[in-house]
Amino acid sequence: MRVLPRVVGECESGGVERVVDSHARSESVPHVGHQTVSTGWDPVLVPDGRGATRRPEPECPVEVALAAIGGRWTTLVLRDLMGGARSFTELQRGLPTLSAKVLTERLVRLEQRGLVERARSASFPPRTLYRLTAAGRAVEPLLVELYRTGTALLETSLDVSPDDSPR
Amino acid sequence: MRVLPRVVGECESGGVERVVDSHARSESVPHVGHQTVSTGWDPVLVPDGRGATRRPEPECPVEVALAAIGGRWTTLVLRDLMGGARSFTELQRGLPTLSAKVLTERLVRLEQRGLVERARSASFPPRTLYRLTAAGRAVEPLLVELYRTGTALLETSLDVSPDDSPR
DNA sequence: CGGCATCCACATAGATACTG
DNA sequence: CAGTATCTATGTGGATGCCG
C-alpha cells in the first residue's frame, strides 16, 4: 500500500534540500516556516508549510494520515474497533480470511502509532483487548470521508472495471 | 501507499458468501440489499450494504477511494493538478525526484480511473496537458480531510518516531 | 487464546538508458 | 517534449506450522 503502499502526501520543513539546485529561483515555496503563507498551491489543500513539499515526506500531515490507515485490511480493523474493544479472536472472527500474521502486524503498527491500545487481563483464560485511543477515534471522520468519496467516484465514473491499483 | 499501498476498505453486494458458514446465525449482516439497514456497525461508518464486508472488496466505496489516491506520489500529483492543467514536464518540475516511469504510471492509472484527462495539442512543439475531470475534482475534500486528520494525529501522539509504515 | 517464526510470491519504486 | 524499456531491490501479503 499499499495502501498504501505506501501511498503519498506532501511536506517541507526548514532548509532540508541539498540535492536540488534551489537558491537561484525564489519563484515558489518561499521558505515558509509553519504558518499560512502563500505557497503557490490552493491554501485549502496546503494550509501550512508542511504540505508545501516536492516529494513524499513522512512528516507531512497527508503522509501521516495515509500511514495511519495504510496497508491492506487496516481500515476494516479500524472499522471493527470503532464499535468498541475487541479481542484478537473476535477481530479474526469478524474478518475470517485475515491471517493471524497480518492481523498482528496491523495491531502492532496501530499500537506503535498510538491509535490502538492493548489491555491484557490477568484473569483466566487470559484475554487481550484492543481498543481505540483518542487518536484512533480521530480517524473516524477520515473513514467516513473515504466512504463518501468512493461513493461519489462510483457514481461519476461507473466503469472502474477490474482493479489493478498499486495499493 | 503506497496509499498503498495496497490499503483497505469494506464492501458487500448480494449473496456473495459461499465460503463461510453463514446461514445458521442471522446475528449480523442480515443480507442487506443496498439501503440503510442495521449491519451491526455504526451507520455513520457503514451507511449501506457496500461497507458491510468481512474482507477488502474492490467495489467497496472505501476501497475505491483508497485505490484512487493510492500509490506513492499520487496525492502529490493530484495536489498539483488541483491548481489547473499541467504538462508532463511541468509535473516533473514540480516533483523533481519523481521518475518519468512512475509519473507515467500514475497518470495512466488516474486516467483509467477517470480522474484525469489527457489533451494533446496539435501545435508545435507538441504539448500534452493533463487536467482533472469532475471525478478528479471530487477527491479534493478527501485530500483536505487527510491533511486535517494527519495534523490531528501529529498533535495527539507527538512521537511517531521514524516511519516504518507498510503503505 | 494469542500470537511468533518461516518461507514464498508478487507488486511496485527507483535507477538508468533509449526513442518517436 | 513525452514518454518507453529494462533491471533490480525491497516490501508486503498470504500460507503454514509451532509455542507459551
Side-chain angles (χ1 to χ4, degrees):
Chain A
M1 234 199 263
R2 128 219 23 109
V3 359
L4 221 12
R6 179 90 58 286
V7 211
V8 194
E10 44 240 49
C11 297
E12 135 88 326
S13 303
V16 192
E17 317 187 336
R18 58 176 90 83
V19 186
V20 198
D21 61 317
S22 57
H23 74 115
R25 297 154 58 247
S26 61
E27 173 202 39
S28 57
V29 194
H31 203 275
V32 44
H34 279 285
Q35 297 309 63
T36 304
V37 183
S38 148
T39 60
W41 289 284
D42 183 342
V44 173
L45 279 174
V46 188
D48 58 45
R50 296 171 300 178
T53 179
R54 301 183 168 287
R55 51 197 260 193
E57 305 280 1
E59 326 84 65
C60 172
V62 172
E63 291 293 336
V64 169
L66 286 171
I69 64 164
R72 196 159 147 86
W73 295 97
T74 305
T75 56
L76 291 170
V77 172
L78 288 172
R79 177 200 63 183
D80 287 1
L81 288 176
M82 292 286 174
R86 297 280 187 276
S87 70
F88 191 90
T89 304
E90 283 170 343
L91 289 169
Q92 279 199 307
R93 259 203 304 272
L95 306 169
T97 58
L98 168 57
S99 72
K101 177 207 172 197
V102 173
L103 177 55
T104 300
E105 285 175 357
R106 293 298 170 266
L107 291 171
V108 166
R109 278 204 311 116
L110 289 170
E111 193 182 12
Q112 286 175 344
R113 299 242 163 88
L115 303 192
V116 162
E117 63 185 9
R118 180 178 320 223
R120 300 176 197 270
S121 77
S123 67
F124 194 86
R127 231 169 112 85
T128 310
L129 278 183
Y130 295 90
R131 78 178 68 245
L132 292 180
T133 62
R137 272 172 259 124
V139 311
E140 178 163 3
L142 175 54
L143 296 184
V144 172
E145 178 59 28
L146 280 168
Y147 205 105
R148 197 203 60 75
T149 299
T151 299
L153 292 178
L154 286 171
E155 288 169 356
T156 310
S157 54
L158 2 83
D159 43 338
V160 185
S161 60
D163 195 23
D164 78 329
S165 60
R167 76 181 52 203
Chain B
M1 0 156 46
R2 302 77 340 148
V3 283
L4 231 88
R6 168 74 63 81
V7 211
V8 193
E10 46 239 48
C11 297
E12 134 88 325
S13 303
V16 191
E17 317 186 338
R18 55 175 92 82
V19 186
V20 198
D21 62 316
S22 57
H23 75 113
R25 297 152 60 247
S26 61
E27 172 204 39
S28 57
V29 192
H31 202 276
V32 44
H34 279 284
Q35 299 307 64
T36 305
V37 182
S38 148
T39 59
W41 289 284
D42 183 342
V44 173
L45 279 174
V46 188
D48 58 47
R50 296 171 301 179
T53 178
R54 301 183 168 289
R55 52 197 263 192
E57 305 280 0
E59 326 85 64
C60 171
V62 172
E63 291 292 338
V64 169
L66 286 171
I69 63 165
R72 197 159 147 84
W73 294 98
T74 304
T75 55
L76 291 170
V77 172
L78 288 172
R79 177 199 64 184
D80 287 2
L81 288 176
M82 293 285 172
R86 298 281 187 275
S87 70
F88 190 90
T89 305
E90 284 170 342
L91 288 169
Q92 280 199 306
R93 260 203 304 271
L95 306 168
T97 58
L98 168 57
S99 71
K101 177 207 170 196
V102 173
L103 177 55
T104 301
E105 285 174 356
R106 292 299 170 265
L107 290 171
V108 167
R109 276 204 314 114
L110 289 170
E111 194 182 10
Q112 286 175 344
R113 298 241 164 89
L115 303 192
V116 162
E117 63 185 9
R118 180 179 320 223
R120 300 175 197 272
S121 77
S123 67
F124 193 86
R127 231 168 111 84
T128 309
L129 278 183
Y130 295 90
R131 77 178 68 246
L132 292 179
T133 63
R137 271 173 258 123
V139 311
E140 179 163 3
L142 175 55
L143 296 184
V144 172
E145 178 60 27
L146 280 168
Y147 204 105
R148 197 202 61 75
T149 299
T151 300
L153 291 179
L154 286 171
E155 287 168 357
T156 310
S157 54
L158 2 85
D159 44 336
V160 185
S161 60
D163 194 25
D164 77 327
S165 60
R167 77 184 50 204

